[in-house]
């Protein structure tokens, strides 16, 4: 008799536990799968193998300049409007270096073209090479040194980084603006006639995205 009572009591406990499990389980009551020693779990909930360390990105290598047919939305001029010589002394050119020169202008525009000149794989400090190009461009526009030395102002370089500067070679708020960039291995300048520092700087950064890779 005592055995029958014990069996009935045990059956009652099992039924009660089943009802509690089916009707009373909430989302927050569900136990999360055990984490692996590394703390990661697989999508199925089973412990996954420890994740391997992320491989280090390979060096991208030195950037190069390209003779782009378009730069910053401007077309490279050809024929009689193309650059036929090197207007600015680029500095010492060594094996492996590339010199890129070109006139650029928006299609259908009659504005003065933007003169671009740059070099890559520069062996020395590219800031010094940019200064050399700045001086050469000032000589090209025949800037009178007695008027003072135009001061370069920094410009946001954009995704390519490095340093971008522009200087106004004019006694008014607009006129000849020379912009230049310098990064780990390249240096370049461009002349924007009848422009402002803000407009020239923005266009120069856009051109750089097409000229440097």
């Amino acid at each position: 008799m005592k055995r029958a009572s014990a069996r009935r009591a045990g059956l009652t406990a099992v039924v009660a536990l089943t009802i509690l499990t089916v009707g009373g389980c909430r989302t927050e009551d569900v136990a999360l799968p055990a984490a692996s020693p590394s703390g990661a779990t697989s999508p199925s909930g089973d412990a996954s193998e420890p994740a391997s360390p992320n491989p280090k990105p390979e060096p991208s290598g030195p950037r190069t300049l390209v003779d782009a047919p378009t730069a910053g939305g401007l077309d490279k001029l050809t024929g009689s409007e193309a650059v036929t010589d090197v207007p600015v002394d680029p500095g010492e050119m060594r094996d492996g270096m590339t010199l890129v020169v070109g006139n650029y202008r928006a299609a259908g525009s009659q504005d003065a073209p933007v003169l671009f000149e740059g070099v890559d794989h520069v062996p020395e400090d590219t800031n010094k090479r940019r200064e050399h190009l700045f001086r050469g461009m000032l000589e090209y526009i025949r800037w009178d040194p007695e008027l003072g030395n135009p001061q370069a102002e920094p410009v946001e370089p954009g995704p390519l980084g490095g340093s971008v500067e522009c200087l106004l070679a004019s006694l008014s708020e607009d006129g000849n603006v020379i912009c230049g960039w310098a990064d780990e291995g390249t240096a370049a300048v461009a002349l924007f006639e009848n422009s402002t520092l803000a407009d020239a700087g923005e266009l120069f950064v856009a051109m750089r995205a097409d000229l440097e890779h």
Side-chain angles (χ1 to χ4, degrees), residues 134 137-138 141 165-167 169 176-180 189-192:
F134 268 142
M137 193 66 83
L138 286 171
I141 65 174
E165 297 179 348
C166 293
L167 58 85
N176 290 325
V177 178
I178 303 171
C179 293
V189 294
L191 170 64
F192 302 84

Side-chain angles (χ1 to χ4, degrees), residues 5 26 42 63 71 83 102 111 119 144 146 148 161:
S5 298
R26 297 174 298 174
S42 65
R63 294 175 181 159
V83 177
D111 294 339
V119 290
D144 187 352
E146 293 185 358

Side-chain angles (χ1 to χ4, degrees), residues 60-66 90 92-100 116-130 133 160-163 181-189 208 211-213:
S60 58
R63 294 175 181 159
T64 58
L65 299 185
V66 295
E92 182 181 2
M93 296 295 295
R94 301 181 183 179
D95 292 342
M97 295 179 65
T98 304
L99 171 64
V100 175
F116 173 84
E117 183 170 329
V119 290
D120 62 16
H121 295 87
V122 179
E124 79 273 9
D125 184 353
T126 53
N127 286 291
K128 294 182 178 179
R129 183 62 68 104
R130 178 178 57 183
L133 292 168
L160 291 176
S163 169
W181 86 64
D183 56 27
E184 187 175 352
T186 71
V189 294
R208 182 187 179 194
L211 291 160
E212 183 180 14
H213 294 275

Side-chain angles (χ1 to χ4, degrees), residues 25-120:
C25 181
R26 297 174 298 174
T27 303
E28 57 267 31
D29 295 330
V30 178
L32 295 176
S36 67
S38 67
T41 57
S42 65
S44 63
D46 297 328
S48 64
E49 293 296 326
S52 59
N54 293 328
K56 294 181 179 180
E58 296 182 0
S60 58
R63 294 175 181 159
T64 58
L65 299 185
V66 295
D67 191 16
T70 61
L74 308 182
D75 296 332
K76 184 175 182 181
L77 302 182
T78 59
S80 61
E81 293 184 300
V83 177
T84 57
D85 59 3
V86 181
V88 175
D89 176 18
E92 182 181 2
M93 296 295 295
R94 301 181 183 179
D95 292 342
M97 295 179 65
T98 304
L99 171 64
V100 175
V101 182
N103 274 334
Y104 288 87
R105 186 168 59 200
S109 173
Q110 298 301 315
D111 294 339
V114 175
L115 172 62
F116 173 84
E117 183 170 329
V119 290
D120 62 16

